[in-house]
Amino acid sequence: MEEGDSEMNRRLEVRGVTKVFNTEEGVIKALENINLEVKPGEFLCIIGPSGCGKTTLLRMIAGLDYPTRGKIILDGKEVRGPSPDRGMVFQEFSLFPWRTVLKNVEFGLQMQGIDASRRREIAKKYIGLVGLDGFENHYPYELSGGMKQRVAIARALATEPSILLMDEPFGSVDAQTRNILQEELLQIWQRTGKTVLFVTHSVDEAVYLADRVVVMSARPGSIVECMKIGIVRPRKRTSMEANVIRERLLRLLISERKKTGIFR
C-alpha cells in the first residue's frame, strides 16, 4: 500500500442508491435504497432473482449508468463515469474479432496513450497470468470459450484497476470449464489482491468463490441479506459447511423468486 493510502479511501461504498428507468411501458424501479460497503481485496458475490437489478448495480459501479438517487464512492471519490480504476468483464466475451489476443489485451492501455513497447510488456504479463502464453498472436475465432474469457479477464486486469467487476463471466461456458475458470480466478485474485464484485445466478459458484454473498430481493432490487462465507480456503465444494450455507442461500432465493413468478 502506497504512503498516504488507506483502507478507508480505497473502499467501495454504495450509498442509498435507487435506479428508475422511464420506458415506453411506464416507470420501472430497478433498484431501491441499496447500501453496501466492500473492503479492499474482498471477493463479493451478488445473487438474486432474474430482473432484480444485479447487472444494473454493476454497471453503475462501472460508471456505465447512473443512479437516480444516491451515490457510489470509490477511493473516496464519487463515481461519475468509466475509469481505468474499474475493470469490467461481461458474460459475453466482447473481444474485437479483428485483433489478436495481444492486441485485445493491449486495447485499454492503448486508449490511455501508453507507448507500444510498454503496453506490450504489460499485456504479455497478464496473458501469462491467465495461462495463455503462446497464444498472443491468435485471433478470437481460434480460441475456445474458456480461452476467450481468459483474454477478457487479462484485458480487464491490464489497466491495473483497484476493483474488478464481473457480470456472470462464466455463464456461457460448460460446467467443467466453469469449474476450471473459477479455480484460475481465485488464483489470480489471491496473487493480485484485487477487489472483486462478481454477479452470478449460481449459488454453488457464490459459495465457492466469495468472502461474502449479497442476496438481492425481487424487483425493485434491495439487499435481503449479506452473508459472510466463513469457510477456510481452499474450499471443498461438497463439504458440510458449504452445503449448509448453500441451503440457506437457496431458501432466501426461492422466497424471492416466488414473488416474481419466475423459477430460474
Side-chain angles (χ1 to χ4, degrees):
M1 185 179 295
E2 296 180 1
E3 186 178 354
D5 197 6
S6 70
E7 183 171 300
M8 181 61 69
N9 63 27
R10 293 173 59 226
R11 182 175 297 166
L12 172 68
E13 299 175 75
V14 181
R15 299 178 181 172
V17 165
T18 293
K19 179 63 178 178
V20 176
F21 292 101
N22 294 305
T23 72
E24 293 181 358
E25 298 177 355
V27 175
I28 297 175
K29 183 179 283 188
L31 295 167
E32 185 169 36
N33 194 34
I34 300 292
N35 290 283
L36 180 66
E37 289 189 5
V38 185
K39 296 178 182 179
E42 185 173 19
F43 199 126
L44 186 137
C45 284
I46 303 172
I47 62 174
S50 295
C52 72
K54 300 184 295 296
T55 294
T56 298
L57 177 59
L58 216 63
R59 285 178 58 82
M60 288 192 293
I61 294 170
L64 301 174
D65 206 339
Y66 304 94
T68 305
R69 291 191 299 276
K71 294 181 180 181
I72 296 171
I73 309 294
L74 179 62
D75 297 348
K77 299 178 182 179
E78 185 174 357
V79 171
R80 296 185 181 275
S83 169
D85 62 5
R86 281 154 281 135
M88 186 86 174
V89 180
F90 301 91
Q91 181 174 354
E92 298 301 325
F93 311 119
S94 302
L95 302 179
F96 299 117
W98 60 89
R99 297 179 73 120
T100 63
V101 167
L102 181 66
K103 294 299 183 182
N104 265 286
V105 176
E106 283 185 357
F107 178 74
L109 302 169
Q110 185 178 354
M111 293 299 98
Q112 293 178 31
I114 295 173
D115 69 80
S117 61
R118 177 59 179 153
R119 66 176 183 253
R120 180 182 178 87
E121 178 186 350
I122 295 170
K124 291 191 75 171
K125 169 187 171 182
Y126 285 102
I127 288 168
L129 185 65
V130 299
L132 289 179
D133 279 328
F135 289 90
E136 291 87 348
N137 296 319
H138 285 63
Y139 288 88
Y141 75 88
E142 299 176 292
L143 307 177
S144 68
M147 293 170 77
K148 290 176 185 176
Q149 200 58 294
R150 290 185 183 97
V151 177
I153 293 169
R155 182 177 60 185
L157 289 170
T159 59
E160 301 196 346
S162 61
I163 183 167
L164 188 61
L165 307 169
M166 310 187 79
D167 188 10
E168 297 190 65
F170 308 147
S172 60
V173 299
D174 63 86
Q176 182 177 351
T177 302
R178 186 170 188 155
N179 285 353
I180 293 169
L181 289 172
Q182 289 169 4
E183 295 280 1
E184 291 177 350
L185 176 60
L186 285 175
Q187 291 173 15
I188 291 168
W189 169 66
Q190 288 165 343
R191 288 176 65 179
T192 64
K194 300 295 183 189
T195 305
V196 178
L197 261 69
F198 189 107
V199 165
T200 180
H201 274 101
S202 169
V203 172
D204 287 355
E205 187 167 63
V207 173
Y208 187 68
L209 293 176
D211 292 323
R212 287 189 297 155
V213 177
V214 170
V215 182
M216 293 184 65
S217 70
R219 194 172 66 204
S222 60
I223 295 177
V224 175
E225 187 163 340
C226 192
M227 186 183 300
K228 183 176 181 180
I229 310 299
I231 305 176
V232 176
R233 302 180 190 273
R235 294 173 181 168
K236 186 175 180 181
R237 298 176 190 271
T238 56
S239 70
M240 180 66 72
E241 292 172 294
N243 286 333
V244 169
I245 294 170
R246 186 183 300 112
E247 287 300 315
R248 185 178 172 190
L249 289 170
L250 283 170
R251 283 196 298 270
L252 287 169
L253 275 181
I254 289 169
S255 175
E256 291 303 319
R257 284 173 177 163
K258 285 180 179 178
K259 298 175 184 178
T260 68
I262 300 173
F263 291 89
R264 66 181 179 88

